Amino acid sequence: VWMVVNSALLGLMIDVMTGMGGLNVIASTATGFLRHHVVNMVTGHSSGIDNSSPALNRLPEKNFRWYIVAMVVLHSTIYFLMESLSLHHILHTLLRIVVSDIAAVVFIYYFVKLFIEKILKQ
């Protein structure tokens, strides 16, 4: 429940700061709601209370990369499909999803590797 509430609040803050009409609230809330299923899919087993947060020190590198990719693809797919609300320009929407996913995954992965991993090793 807290993950969904925090996801909705994060989406709301992004929407307020960017002047959007609630698209990030919808995409972030759905991503937070489906996060548990993504973790189960990536790890191959159900995560309990003690291992509920995917992190570099808890997941093998390959699984962590797949977690980042799955969460970014899920969020951006919901976001861009809600933004277009039509299948009329589906190729343009798919192109936007793919390009933004590649850019976001690369940025997030290297951000985590550069900054977060150093904090975890200390």
Side-chain angles (χ1 to χ4, degrees):
V1 174
W2 283 109
M3 184 59 64
V4 176
V5 171
N6 286 334
S7 299
L9 290 175
L10 177 66
L12 181 64
M13 288 185 341
I14 293 170
D15 280 337
V16 167
M17 291 183 181
T18 60
M20 295 298 293
L23 291 175
N24 280 300
V25 172
I26 294 168
S28 296
T29 304
T31 304
F33 180 75
L34 296 171
R35 179 189 167 277
H36 180 71
H37 299 293
V38 172
V39 170
N40 291 343
M41 179 183 69
V42 168
T43 60
H45 58 81
S46 180
S47 58
I49 296 292
D50 59 339
N51 195 17
S52 61
S53 177
L56 289 174
N57 60 345
R58 293 187 181 154
L59 288 176
E61 174 115 12
K62 177 183 170 188
N63 289 0
F64 191 72
R65 276 187 263 146
W66 279 113
Y67 172 76
I68 291 171
V69 169
M71 293 299 281
V72 168
V73 168
L74 180 64
H75 181 273
S76 66
T77 302
I78 294 168
Y79 181 88
F80 286 120
L81 289 177
M82 291 298 296
E83 183 183 44
S84 68
L85 282 179
S86 170
L87 296 178
H88 189 266
H89 299 288
I90 191 69
L91 293 177
H92 182 262
T93 303
L94 289 174
L95 180 66
R96 291 176 68 194
I97 291 170
V98 169
V99 171
S100 69
D101 285 348
I102 291 170
V105 166
V106 168
F107 176 77
I108 291 169
Y109 180 74
Y110 284 112
F111 179 82
V112 168
K113 292 299 281 182
L114 286 173
F115 299 107
I116 307 299
E117 189 176 61
K118 291 179 183 178
I119 294 170
L120 292 174
K121 287 183 179 179
Q122 292 179 356

